[in-house]
């Protein structure tokens, strides 16, 4: 399943909508997504599954790329 992760680039940064970034991760659960990103200095705000029509819409975006994290 593909998950969309909303995050701030710095762990100590206060979440501000204008600075929020997103990325996509392939995983089985939200917990697995957070585990895969644990070594990165991200302040993860929200993780949500992306599927169906929402996934199709996101795939049309030129910046759509699923991270391959082992």
């Amino acid at each position: 399943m593909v998950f969309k992760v909303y995050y701030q680039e710095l762990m100590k940064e206060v979440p501000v909508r204008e600075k929020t970034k997103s990325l996509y991760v392939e995983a089985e659960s939200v917990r697995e997504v957070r585990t895969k990103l644990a070594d990165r200095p991200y302040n993860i705000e929200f993780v949500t599954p992306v599927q169906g029509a929402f996934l199709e819409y996101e795939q049309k975006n030129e910046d759509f790329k699923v991270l391959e994290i082992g």
Side-chain angles (χ1 to χ4, degrees), residues 4-70:
K4 186 171 185 177
V5 179
Y6 297 91
Y7 69 96
Q8 302 292 315
E9 285 193 318
L10 302 173
M11 188 66 105
K12 295 180 180 180
E13 194 169 286
V14 176
V16 177
R17 179 181 297 169
E18 292 77 19
K19 294 183 180 180
T20 299
K21 298 188 180 198
S22 62
L23 57 87
Y24 302 90
V25 178
E26 179 96 27
E28 295 294 320
S29 66
V30 172
R31 175 178 271 169
E32 185 178 347
V33 171
R34 290 182 178 275
T35 300
K36 287 182 173 185
L37 297 174
D39 64 336
R40 298 173 188 228
Y42 297 157
N43 181 3
I44 297 174
E45 294 179 42
F46 188 66
V47 179
T48 185
V50 180
Q51 55 193 0
F54 186 46
L55 179 58
E56 291 174 21
Y57 173 79
E58 293 289 339
Q59 288 172 331
K60 291 178 185 176
N61 185 344
E62 62 187 40
D63 295 331
F64 181 83
K65 182 180 176 185
V66 178
L67 291 181
E68 298 291 331
I69 303 172

